[in-house]
Amino acid sequence: MPDSQQPAPYPIHQASLANGLRVLVSPDHHAPAVAVNLWYDVGSRHEQPGRTGFAHLFEHLMFQGSANVASGQHIALLQAAGASVNATTWFDRTNYFEALPTGGLELALWLEADRMATLLDAVGQQNLDNQREVVKEEKRQRYDNVPYGDVMERLVSLTFPADHPYGHTTIGSMADLDAATLDDVHHFFRTHYLPGNCVLSLVGDVEPAEGVALVERYFGHIPDGPTPADPPAEPLPPLTGVPRAELSAAVPADAVYLSWRLPALGDLEQDAVGLALSVLGGGQTSRLHRALVRRDELATGASASGLPLIGGNSFGFVSARCRDGVPPERVEEALLTELTRLAADGPSAEELQRAKAQFERGWLQSLAGLESRADQLSGNATLLDDPERINTHARQVLAVTADQVRAALRKHLDPEHRAALTYRRDSSASAEEETR
């Protein structure tokens, strides 16, 4: 969009406490509310072989009490103050966040500081065993017993080596969690949940000086520790030999997934690849939907998307769910045909404009709310050391040309450097064959 239409930049005040905690404050006085957002620089890629699932386990343990907060009271106290509160775990990070009326800000900061400083006072064997079982039940409900629930786990295993930081999903191995001792879990927390390994963002009805002073009051006494070592982040070469997995499962329809290694988050080519995937499979106006679903009636749905990651490579895939009677091989061929055609011709002006509009709409939505804006601030600071990216990234994406999109397609979405996963509908769900 033209510069004249660019929204005014969001104000960002940055500070660091003596213990290394990084603080970002972005005042917004439109409503008497504030978002509190903490990103810890720890996700599944920071886990060691044989000790997977720990970052996600702590997403649960962090709500089970600390030295001065009883089990379950962290959420209860915040909700009583009018807050929405949650946490998520991903490959590259874990985030904890709440949004609440401004009068509850000190309560939120006190609670977050208490668990950063004293969580292990509450993590005994009983608490660990309880939350370990909660995670197992989550895996059964969300991954094991739903159609295509294991798709991410299987795509990750095809796209990355087993010993790579991205070689396992955030849910981790249940065998690893079963084998984890209390000492293992305490060591993981002491290594990663430190002030110097955290970014805390405040967005809303708070002035920068006031916000930093409050954070200093509640977090300034917490000692830091040694900076955790970063996992390897060297880019992997493209896939070779088309790693492939096929399985029979109790799914509604046969399905095909193709995956690639993509440029890391922050790489300029990542923006071009993102637009390419949007043109290819971003919604009902995309090439895949128009060709496979509407024109040729080979699939009931088709899409393409990317998962931007920081550790050397990102991850992208295209997929389609087959119509009854249409073999997956034919659908896979059709997916590759459309990909090859787009790489040869590049996107039309209309397609590129539509992809940019889709990006811009999502970008504006991610910044519209206090909670999501705080998350964007913390994320850009944690992963890219660039919180100002919320004010600059859109202009960068909107400047990508059709030639750059075509070049990125040819370089990073080459059909010969894909992995392939096929689901075949089978109510018995007994057969599985995998080749590498």
Side-chain angles (χ1 to χ4, degrees):
M1 70 188 159
D3 287 348
S4 61
Q5 296 180 18
Q6 288 280 358
Y10 292 103
I12 303 170
H13 179 87
Q14 304 187 51
S16 293
L17 304 190
N19 59 11
L21 179 65
R22 189 169 180 182
V23 184
L24 305 173
V25 184
S26 181
D28 183 333
H29 300 296
H30 287 92
V34 63
V36 180
N37 184 288
L38 287 80
W39 270 50
Y40 288 93
D41 191 9
V42 56
S44 60
R45 80 178 180 107
H46 299 87
E47 297 163 350
Q48 299 300 311
R51 295 293 181 268
T52 63
F54 279 31
H56 176 250
L57 176 65
F58 270 103
E59 181 193 320
H60 292 262
L61 288 171
M62 290 280 266
F63 290 101
Q64 297 307 306
S66 48
N68 300 295
V69 181
S71 179
Q73 285 302 297
H74 186 106
I75 291 179
L77 289 167
L78 285 169
Q79 289 180 335
S84 60
V85 54
N86 213 330
T88 66
T89 310
W90 193 232
F91 291 96
D92 291 325
R93 53 86 183 138
T94 310
N95 62 349
Y96 299 87
F97 49 91
E98 50 267 340
L100 71 173
T102 308
L105 175 57
E106 291 197 56
L107 172 65
L109 292 175
W110 177 77
L111 287 167
E112 292 288 359
D114 199 63
R115 63 181 178 183
M116 179 189 282
T118 69
L119 181 83
L120 294 186
D121 289 7
V123 181
Q125 191 63 52
Q126 181 178 358
N127 203 347
L128 171 59
D129 291 343
N130 175 271
Q131 293 309 304
R132 187 159 34 197
E133 292 305 312
V134 170
V135 172
K136 289 182 182 180
E137 182 61 23
E138 179 182 343
K139 186 173 187 295
R140 285 189 285 266
Q141 291 185 5
R142 295 180 55 190
Y143 297 83
D144 297 341
N145 297 321
V146 295
Y148 316 107
D150 58 353
V151 64
M152 184 58 67
E153 180 180 2
R154 293 182 179 277
L155 286 174
V156 162
S157 69
L158 287 170
T159 309
F160 297 100
D163 60 352
H164 190 272
Y166 294 141
H168 66 278
T169 57
T170 57
I171 196 69
S173 160
M174 297 305 99
D176 287 354
L177 288 182
D178 281 338
T181 67
L182 193 60
D183 284 344
D184 293 332
V185 172
H186 278 225
H187 175 73
F188 189 82
F189 182 84
R190 292 194 185 101
T191 300
H192 296 287
Y193 294 83
L194 304 166
N197 207 41
C198 179
V199 172
L200 191 161
S201 294
L202 302 177
V203 175
D205 189 24
V206 57
E207 285 299 315
E210 175 194 8
V212 173
L214 287 173
V215 174
E216 175 69 47
R217 179 187 304 173
Y218 292 104
F219 288 83
H221 69 283
I222 304 174
D224 198 19
T227 302
D230 287 329
E234 293 78 17
L236 294 172
L239 290 162
T240 58
V242 188
R244 183 178 294 273
E246 290 195 9
L247 65 148
S248 297
V251 294
D254 296 349
V256 177
Y257 293 82
L258 308 177
S259 67
W260 286 264
R261 296 170 181 168
L262 302 181
L265 178 68
D267 189 313
L268 292 178
E269 290 184 343
Q270 223 280 328
D271 295 328
V273 172
L275 291 173
L277 289 168
S278 181
V279 170
L280 188 65
Q284 295 187 2
T285 58
S286 68
R287 290 201 176 193
L288 292 181
H289 187 88
R290 286 186 286 119
L292 275 71
V293 178
R294 293 166 55 190
R295 185 189 69 202
D296 299 333
E297 298 186 345
L298 300 176
T300 59
S303 64
S305 60
L307 300 177
L309 301 171
I310 197 65
N313 294 91
S314 293
F315 174 47
F317 58 90
V318 302
S319 64
R321 195 169 296 185
C322 308
R323 284 189 180 272
D324 286 345
V326 178
E329 292 81 4
R330 187 178 176 193
V331 170
E332 181 173 349
E333 181 181 0
L335 289 171
L336 295 176
T337 296
E338 293 305 314
L339 176 61
T340 301
R341 182 176 293 123
L342 182 58
D345 301 336
S348 69
E350 181 182 356
E351 286 176 321
L352 184 57
Q353 183 180 19
R354 185 184 302 120
K356 289 180 177 180
Q358 289 175 334
F359 160 79
E360 187 179 8
R361 181 173 62 250
W363 171 75
L364 291 173
Q365 287 175 343
S366 74
L367 299 178
L370 300 180
E371 201 166 357
S372 54
R373 195 184 316 154
D375 199 58
Q376 288 284 335
L377 274 177
S378 295
N380 285 313
T382 302
L383 301 180
L384 299 172
D385 192 24
D386 184 17
E388 288 285 351
R389 191 169 183 261
I390 69 169
N391 292 321
T392 63
H393 184 52
R395 186 177 287 107
Q396 177 179 305
V397 174
L398 297 178
V400 172
T401 68
D403 286 342
Q404 289 173 316
V405 171
R406 181 170 55 182
L409 272 163
R410 292 175 174 178
K411 181 177 180 181
H412 298 291
L413 292 169
D414 186 337
E416 297 302 314
H417 296 293
R418 74 190 189 278
L421 170 65
T422 301
Y423 285 88
R424 297 184 188 274
R425 184 171 55 186
D426 181 358
S427 58
S428 65
S430 60
E432 178 178 347
E433 178 181 357
E434 183 169 329
T435 59
R436 293 293 182 94

